[in-house]
Amino acid sequence: MGRPPPPLPRPPATTWREECGVGENVVRRAQELLISQGALEGRAGSGTYVAAPRQRARVVRSSAREQPDGSPFRADMKAAGKLGDWESRTEAKVPAPAEISSRLGIAEGDLCVRTVYEFLADGKPVQLSTSWEPYDLTAGTVVVLPEGGPHAGAGVVNRMAEIGITVSHAVEQPEPRQANAEEASLLGIQKGGLVTHIRRTYYSDEGRPVETADIVVPAALCEIVYEIPISR
């Protein structure tokens, strides 16, 4: 197989203004939108080019995908012909900010275990997540570190089961917004690019929140699909 052709430079802004009869600000906003959607790509010192076609990875959200072993993210990436993996960084005893404490039903400033994730497809970041768990829930147990110990990477549901807590359901609140500078840098997308911000919280069968996370999915790299199981 030969190499794909190099990306084509986009037409000059003057051409767009003349042919479309619009001003410079409109052209700039249109260009930023096309970059955020992956249709154009900017190169420092070189200009803006038509991006090579790329397949967005499908990210499936479904209660049916919680597994005793294996990872739904890895399964999604495998279906897209990519190798799925992640990197993480955990800090214990982090004071909960106001929004997180409200979501976890604890007092502001109560200690939490915070884990920051970068999810990778073929070694490149495609999704970000920051997870918070109440420290008093797992302190002194073998599952206090989500990505450490004998149950590293087992997921919230399975880790909580190890300490006698049954997770019964999760609530997700997705909303679109623009990527901030840090998110754009980590994901390799344009600052202000479109992302879906998902606030997810897991609850025990007693109704207690046991984990909450902020998940950031870039529109240029992933498409989100929700599976809804039907009870018969």
Side-chain angles (χ1 to χ4, degrees):
M1 294 179 62
R3 293 183 178 179
L8 300 173
R10 68 157 177 82
T14 52
T15 301
W16 286 10
R17 292 198 298 268
E18 292 170 359
E19 293 187 357
C20 301
V22 296
E24 182 177 348
N25 288 339
V26 173
V27 172
R28 185 171 62 253
R29 288 197 296 269
Q31 177 178 306
E32 291 173 350
L33 176 61
L34 290 171
I35 290 175
S36 72
Q37 294 176 339
L40 296 179
E41 60 182 40
R43 296 185 177 182
S46 178
T48 306
Y49 293 79
V50 177
R54 58 183 175 182
Q55 178 186 9
R56 292 196 299 166
R58 171 170 287 201
V59 177
V60 181
R61 315 294 300 172
S62 172
S63 61
R65 293 172 67 78
E66 295 290 348
Q67 302 176 23
D69 54 9
S71 161
F73 176 77
R74 284 198 176 108
D76 287 341
M77 295 305 102
K78 183 177 181 180
K82 300 177 183 295
L83 176 64
D85 202 357
W86 60 83
E87 297 177 354
S88 65
R89 183 180 71 257
T90 296
E91 297 176 81
K93 300 183 179 181
V94 178
E99 181 187 354
I100 297 301
S101 63
S102 176
R103 285 155 59 175
L104 288 175
I106 59 178
E108 183 176 353
D110 280 0
L111 299 181
C112 290
V113 177
R114 179 179 64 193
T115 305
V116 179
Y117 293 90
E118 291 183 37
F119 290 91
L120 312 172
D122 289 342
K124 297 181 179 180
V126 293
Q127 183 177 313
L128 306 174
S129 178
T130 302
S131 166
W132 299 78
E133 297 178 359
Y135 180 70
D136 68 351
L137 196 66
T138 58
T141 73
V142 295
V143 299
V144 65
L145 301 178
E147 298 297 325
H151 303 287
V156 175
V157 175
N158 299 310
R159 286 176 47 250
M160 293 299 164
E162 291 294 329
I163 57 174
I165 296 174
T166 301
V167 176
S168 62
H169 67 286
V171 174
E172 293 195 348
Q173 178 185 346
E175 62 180 34
R177 63 169 174 81
Q178 293 180 308
N180 60 36
E182 181 181 8
E183 292 165 343
S185 176
L186 289 171
L187 291 166
I189 62 174
Q190 182 81 1
K191 179 183 176 181
L194 299 177
V195 300
T196 299
H197 179 181
I198 303 173
R199 295 176 176 86
R200 182 202 65 204
T201 303
Y202 280 108
Y203 292 85
S204 73
D205 56 356
E206 296 178 348
R208 176 179 179 176
V210 299
E211 187 260 9
T212 194
D214 291 283
I215 303 166
V216 178
V217 183
L221 305 179
C222 299
E223 62 180 11
I224 301 174
V225 176
Y226 276 85
E227 288 184 355
I228 304 175
I230 305 298
S231 299
R232 296 184 181 274

